[in-house]
Each structure stands twice: as structure tokens, then as C-alpha cells.
Amino acid sequence: MLNQPRIQKATGLRLFWATMWARAYPRIVGALRERSWMFFETFLPVLAVAGYVFLYRAIQAPAEYTGFAVLGGAMTAFWLNVLWSMASQLYWDKDQGNLELYVLSPGPLMAVLLGMAVGGLVMTATRASVIIVLCSWLFHVQYQIADPLLLAVIFVVTMAALYGMGMLFASVFLVAGREAWHLSNLLQEPIYLASGFYFPVKALGMWAATFASVIPLTLGLDAMRQLMFSGDPTLGFLSPRVELAVLAVLAVIFISVAYAALTKLEQVGRRQGRLIERRR
Amino acid sequence: MSAILTENVGRVYKLRGPKRKDDPKEVVALQGVNLEVPAGELFGLLGPNGAGKTTLIKILTTLLLPTSGRAQVQGLDVATHAQEIRRRISMVSGGETSGYGLLTVEENLWMFARFYGLDSKVARQRIAELLDVVGLQDRSRTKISDLSTGLRQKMNFIRGFISDPDVVFLDEPTLGLDVAAARQVRDFVLRWMKAHPDRTLLLTTHYMAEADELCNRLAIIDKGKLLALDTPTNLKRRLRRDTVYTLRVAPLGQRPVDSSTMLEAVPGVRQVTITDVEGAQELNLILEADDALSGVLQHLNQRGSSLLALEKRDPTLEDVFINLVGRRLDEDTAGTKEDK
């Protein structure tokens, strides 16, 4: 085998595609091999949802509030995935020695990040689906889906914006070093509140909800609730189509800024030696 | 066109947050390094820990920019053509912990092969063949979290060759490997170079025998400076007019305060290194001529020591290093002996 002729290697878009799926692979396969998530990442969110469901029932809130809490509970899986498996990942990869190999390979770093996002999204969507099915069955949630196509588009665009933000965070957290852990902790709980994971975000008031809309899940969740539980339209913050437009803009901004940040990170890293140092 | 070219390459690291006013604010890792490695050469960088070998490799592999001078790989500047260089090179470091523990050996290698644009089928085929060459074929489906350090290092080692690179950088590739595994790695390197006469391999090591056995040419580096560059034979030939002895003696006791009464002050003694060995001490001496030995023995006698064994031998690269640097290779740049 040592005497074989030179082998062909993909470049351009084919290399991008190959790199992206190669990086997605450990996420997808890893989740199938490490099955503890089936308990921790489904049972525990169900408990959190149950708390809100019983609260809403106790105060005799409209029936759709049960559905709001269930959908919010399912979407927490995406937020946790973005925080812990996207934003902090490059820092951990650096610590493990993988980042050096990513930078060293011709596969674009953006494809590596996108692969992390795609792999995370695939697995997290499975978890979120399990939570929805389980909670819907437990709490007898009734869905009235008004526009399935719009709902699907809003979900996809929300995910693009959310994981775009995760990609941006990945560069920022890498610069932050070991404080990345604290940053993730810092962002985890407040966003549950600010994005209205368990209640309609409109309840926060216009200004707070507007600020919270920077987090793509805020508007995504609000729009999906409006389309899945066509009860009282006044419970929504903005109309689903407006929210879709804002989410699309957020997706473009986050992905573009993530790309710029990654390019800058590599330049600064090569200049300052940050790609190769391991601070503890 | 040279495979690797450096012109006055220097690298200074700025230190973050010095605690006191007089603490150093920067560290000079490399200074004025000039190298030219033609295609087809197996070139070695030999030096102790902290000498600057890894810094130079990181510069050549585009992970780090030089703060002065310029470096080229395959005629491409590392500062401006990083992406083009990355298509043509690979790097493996000894003691790497890269990869994902939940993936198998084959899957990890496949993932990295895809980052280089290898077709999935071709990648799997090359992985199988390379695993076979290093005797890891029966571990291809083992999760890497279940591999021993040595086996994991073997896996990392072949990762460097899967992408069919023009230039391979191996940074201490046999670090931590047992004798048999290190032998296998060295054999592989030699066979690969023989089978690919147009490729280039740059290897850093602080194992003399490895450098001596593998490298067409060697550069000795210490404290960021290139001290010598030649074939191993020519480097040793520099000492051939000197004579090299290894003496085992009873412990010498306290080192004299007065430098004129030190062993180094004995006429005809060029270099001395002293190592503690099982209740005795081993002296490696480089003498200008054989007749300097009588003065050495007299000196030992005066210090109350006695000769236990004596061997005259051919110079090794270790002697070359000691002659150039003034200390053994297993002492790092701060002069601290490495744990082994």
C-alpha cells in the first residue's frame, strides 16, 4: 500500500460537505452509543414541564397553556445543546487537541462548526420529539395546527438562527477560555425566563420581549405556539409571519458574524499562539 | 524548490499578566532560524524540551505565525498561503489526546480523512491498509476511549499518512511508546520514505538513537537557536579528533566551589557531564587526546573517588550535543533533568 499512486482529494464545496458530515458523525453516532441521555434529557424536562402544567391547571389557565409549557420544555433541549455542545465545544476541542487538527486540515472551520450544529440538531430534534410525544400523552395536549408549512419553515429558520448564534458563541467562548463554562452556566437559566420557555413571552411586556427576541428561540417559540394552538390570538407577541422575517434576519446576521468571528479568531490565534496553547 | 525553507525565523511569545514588575514580559522561543530541506529528505530537529522544536513545527504547519523572518512549505509562504499549505501537509504529535472517545479507531481516522477531502470509500480502504501496517487491524472497531496510550498514539501516527501528504511533520512521534511500538513506528517511517522518494518528512525528537537511525540530515537546536546542521555522520565526525570516554566512578561528593579545582579545569578536558547511576556516578568525558585521561584519574583520586569502570567509545550524537550545548539532552533548557 505504501507504493500507491497519489489519491484524489475533494476541494471547494465537496470538501466543505465532506468536512461538515464528518464532524456531524461523532455527534450522531455518539448519542446512539451513550444512551444515558434517554433518561436525563427526557425524564428531567418532563418533570419541569409537569410543574408548570399543574400550576396552570391549579390557576385554571386556558387549556393551551399546557401546550405552551410542553412546547417550551421540548425547546429547552435545543437551547441546552447550543450552549453546551456548540458554544463551549471549540474550547473543549482545543483542550483535547482536536482544534489544532481542525485548523491544520484543509476542511473549512466553518464546515466543522456547521457539522457540530447539524449533528447536534439531528440528535436534539429526536430528544425534543420524545419530550413532546411523552408530555402530550401524559397531559392530554390538543394541537390545532393552522398552517403546517409555515410551522415547518418557522422551525427550520429558528434552528438556523439559533445554531448560527451557537456558532458565533463558539468563537467567543474560545477566546474567553476556561470562563466558557461559567458563561454557559450564566446564560442557561436566565434565557428560560427571558425567552418565555414556559409562558407566552408577551407576558414580559413589549420592551422586555423585544430585547429577548435577540435569542432566536423567543420568537420561534412564540410563532410556533401561535400556529400549533390556534386559541386566543392575543397571546402571541408578533404575528408569525413578522416573527419569521425577524428570525430570517437573525439567522443571516448570526451566521455571517460567526463566519467573520471565526476568520478573525484564526488570524489572532495564529498571531498570538492561542490556537496551540492549553490554559488550565 | 525546497520542501521547507526558513529564513531568519523568530518567534516571541508575549506573556500575559506578569505578576511582578521585574517578571519577563516575553519569551523568545525561536531566533534567526535558517533551514532548507529539499524534497525527499528525512530531516530531523534534535533538541531538549523547550528548545523551540515544536514552535518551529507549529510555524511550518501554519498554526502559528513567526514574529520575524519568513517560512515556506512547498514554496508557499506560511503567513499568506496557509490554506494551500494545509492541503499538502500533515502533522502528528507524540502524546496527542485528539479524537473522540466514543468513536472507534476506524471512525476517528475516517473523520479526519474526510477533513482532507478523501472519498469515503478510499478513506476506509487506506485506513484498513495502514492499520494493518502498524498491527492495529484487530483494533479497528475498538472505541478509542478503550485504547492504551501506546495504541492510541499508533492510531494518531497513521492519521498523519492517510491523507497522502507531500510533507509530514512528526513531533516526537515515539514519545511514550514502548520499545517494540517505537521500532514499528521508525520502520514505518523509513519504508514510507523509501516508497515515496518525492515526499519530505520533518521529525523532531530528543531521542538520539532515533535521530541517528532515521534522519538524512539533522539540525541541533537549543534555546531557540540552530547550533549545527549536517548529516549525523558528519556531526559525529566533528568530534572524531577528540576522544570520548565513559567512566563509572565512586561518588565524587560535593562539587568544588573553586572552578580551578573542578574536573572541567583538568588540562585536555573539553566537556564533562555527570550522571548518578545506581550508587555510583557516570562521567561522560570529551577529551582533546588520550593523554588527558591521566590528569582526570589523578583529579578523581584527589577528590577521594575511585575508578570502577572505563570505556573508550566512538562519539555519539549525545556527545555532539554536549559538546555544542554543554549539557545532556535529557536536561531541558532550564537545565532541569527530565523525569524518565
Side-chain angles (χ1 to χ4, degrees):
Chain A
M1 82 124 302
L2 291 172
N3 291 303
Q4 283 174 348
R6 283 182 183 265
I7 53 170
Q8 293 292 315
K9 297 178 205 171
T11 53
L13 273 179
R14 283 181 60 219
L15 176 62
F16 191 97
W17 186 252
T19 303
M20 186 188 81
W21 282 108
R23 184 58 189 89
Y25 184 79
R27 295 246 148 145
I28 297 167
V29 170
L32 294 173
R33 289 185 186 154
E34 192 75 62
R35 292 183 184 155
S36 57
W37 67 269
M38 288 182 184
F39 176 75
F40 293 109
E41 294 183 35
T42 56
F43 179 69
L44 297 180
V46 169
L47 284 184
V49 170
Y52 284 93
V53 169
F54 291 123
L55 173 71
Y56 289 142
R57 284 181 182 173
I59 60 170
Q60 295 180 325
E64 57 263 33
Y65 273 69
T66 301
F68 287 2
V70 169
L71 190 61
M75 298 303 274
T76 55
F78 292 103
W79 177 239
L80 291 177
N81 185 252
V82 162
L83 268 190
W84 295 105
S85 299
M86 283 294 299
S88 314
Q89 186 65 40
L90 281 188
Y91 170 72
W92 287 328
D93 272 328
K94 177 179 161 183
D95 212 40
Q96 216 178 338
N98 289 327
L99 180 66
E100 233 179 62
L101 300 180
Y102 294 158
V103 176
L104 187 69
S105 76
L109 258 184
M110 195 64 182
V112 171
L113 270 186
L114 205 58
M116 274 160 43
V118 168
L121 188 57
V122 168
M123 280 323 295
T124 311
T126 314
R127 291 166 206 195
S129 305
V130 172
I131 295 169
I132 286 190
V133 170
L134 199 61
C135 289
S136 300
W137 173 69
L138 279 173
F139 306 119
H140 313 291
V141 180
Q142 299 291 318
Y143 296 94
Q144 285 178 282
I145 298 172
D147 187 340
L149 182 65
L150 184 59
L151 176 65
V153 172
I154 285 176
F155 176 76
V156 170
V157 176
T158 303
M159 290 301 117
L162 180 67
Y163 280 85
M165 189 178 72
M167 287 156 78
L168 170 61
F169 278 5
S171 304
V172 174
F173 280 31
L174 184 60
V175 174
R178 63 181 157 196
E179 287 76 23
W181 180 270
H182 304 304
L183 280 171
S184 283
N185 264 328
L186 190 71
L187 285 172
Q188 186 175 314
E189 299 289 336
I191 300 303
Y192 288 167
L193 171 71
S195 291
F197 273 84
Y198 296 105
F199 58 88
V201 73
K202 196 179 180 183
L204 290 175
M206 195 193 69
W207 287 111
T210 303
F211 279 120
S213 298
V214 174
I215 308 293
L217 275 175
T218 309
L219 294 182
L221 199 50
D222 192 66
M224 284 192 284
R225 279 172 175 156
Q226 291 183 60
L227 292 167
M228 289 170 83
F229 308 99
S230 315
D232 184 357
T234 61
L235 290 174
F237 174 49
L238 301 170
S239 83
R241 285 179 193 279
V242 172
E243 289 180 329
L244 174 63
V246 177
L247 284 167
V249 171
L250 283 178
V252 171
I253 291 173
F254 281 134
I255 294 172
S256 310
V257 178
Y259 178 72
L262 209 55
T263 309
K264 187 74 185 167
L265 172 87
E266 192 191 327
Q267 287 168 354
V268 173
R270 289 179 70 207
R271 204 168 54 236
Q272 297 182 351
R274 287 195 178 199
L275 295 172
I276 57 169
E277 68 172 4
R278 292 187 194 182
R279 278 188 292 159
R280 288 184 190 279
Chain B
M1 181 185 69
S2 310
I4 296 167
L5 179 72
T6 69
E7 289 174 355
N8 284 316
V9 164
R11 174 73 211 189
V12 176
Y13 290 104
K14 292 209 181 319
L15 297 176
R16 272 175 274 171
K19 289 187 176 66
R20 284 194 296 266
K21 210 175 172 182
D22 52 347
D23 280 349
K25 291 186 173 58
E26 55 184 36
V27 170
V28 179
L30 280 180
Q31 42 185 325
V33 173
N34 291 298
L35 268 185
E36 188 169 358
V37 181
E41 189 165 70
L42 205 168
F43 187 86
L45 271 178
L46 185 67
N49 290 332
K53 308 186 295 290
T54 300
T55 298
L56 184 55
I57 279 212
K58 302 290 181 188
I59 288 172
L60 293 170
T61 54
T62 75
L63 291 169
L64 191 64
L65 286 172
T67 40
S68 58
R70 72 187 183 113
Q72 290 183 345
V73 176
Q74 298 275 92
L76 299 160
D77 194 294
V78 294
T80 53
H81 292 80
Q83 202 55 28
E84 290 91 331
I85 290 172
R86 288 168 190 169
R87 282 188 233 286
R88 295 166 165 83
I89 63 168
S90 73
M91 180 188 79
V92 178
S93 304
E96 258 181 41
T97 53
S98 59
Y100 294 99
L102 282 169
L103 296 188
T104 65
V105 169
E106 187 190 25
E107 288 168 338
N108 259 296
L109 292 170
W110 173 85
M111 182 182 78
F112 284 111
R114 296 288 281 161
F115 289 171
Y116 283 80
L118 265 70
D119 174 75
S120 191
K121 201 173 150 193
V122 173
R124 287 187 198 285
Q125 192 185 335
R126 283 184 67 82
I127 290 163
E129 289 163 350
L130 282 165
L131 286 175
D132 192 37
V133 172
V134 297
L136 262 183
Q137 69 278 28
D138 57 332
R139 299 299 190 113
S140 66
R141 289 175 194 274
T142 305
K143 280 196 241 172
I144 67 165
S145 54
D146 296 335
L147 290 181
S148 67
T149 309
L151 292 180
R152 192 161 176 166
Q153 197 161 325
K154 268 194 193 177
M155 179 197 75
N156 286 328
F157 175 74
I158 64 168
R159 194 201 67 238
F161 294 87
I162 284 171
S163 59
D164 195 29
D166 292 314
V167 185
V168 180
F169 295 90
L170 299 178
D171 191 7
E172 307 271 4
T174 57
L175 190 73
L177 288 182
D178 62 42
V179 175
R183 171 88 266 154
Q184 223 169 4
V185 163
R186 287 199 289 270
D187 285 348
F188 179 87
V189 166
L190 286 173
R191 284 165 60 196
W192 189 81
M193 285 303 291
K194 201 174 170 190
H196 300 88
D198 56 336
R199 314 293 171 91
T200 310
L201 198 146
L202 188 145
L203 166 114
T204 76
T205 184
H206 63 273
Y207 298 137
M208 298 290 177
E210 190 166 280
D212 206 351
E213 178 187 343
L214 294 178
C215 301
N216 305 123
R217 283 193 310 150
L218 270 178
I220 293 180
I221 185 168
D222 188 50
K223 293 180 180 169
K225 286 183 184 166
L226 223 59
L227 301 178
L229 196 164
D230 214 327
T231 63
T233 310
N234 284 345
L235 286 170
K236 286 183 280 188
R237 199 169 285 155
R238 293 180 182 194
L239 286 181
R240 201 130 288 167
R241 56 193 163 80
D242 297 329
T243 49
V244 183
Y245 283 92
T246 300
L247 275 64
R248 187 170 283 212
V249 299
L252 288 165
Q254 287 286 324
R255 192 176 165 83
V257 181
D258 179 2
S259 61
S260 65
T261 58
M262 288 178 182
L263 192 48
E264 290 87 336
V266 174
V269 174
R270 275 187 188 280
Q271 289 284 352
V272 184
T273 60
I274 304 173
T275 320
D276 292 330
V277 184
E278 297 161 7
Q281 283 184 314
E282 197 170 88
L283 312 183
N284 277 296
L285 301 172
I286 300 172
L287 306 178
E288 284 169 6
D290 283 331
D291 53 13
L293 189 63
S294 59
V296 171
L297 296 175
Q298 200 178 349
H299 174 92
L300 293 175
N301 197 30
Q302 280 166 6
R303 285 178 64 180
S305 180
S306 55
L307 184 66
L308 303 175
L310 181 149
E311 182 197 0
K312 184 179 180 183
R313 56 181 176 76
D314 287 333
T316 63
L317 284 176
E318 174 96 36
D319 300 316
V320 175
F321 185 84
I322 291 167
N323 191 43
L324 284 167
V325 178
R327 64 175 193 279
R328 290 170 62 94
L329 191 65
D330 58 4
E331 291 173 22
D332 63 22
T333 47
T336 314
K337 201 163 188 304
E338 194 185 328
D339 290 334
K340 279 200 180 162

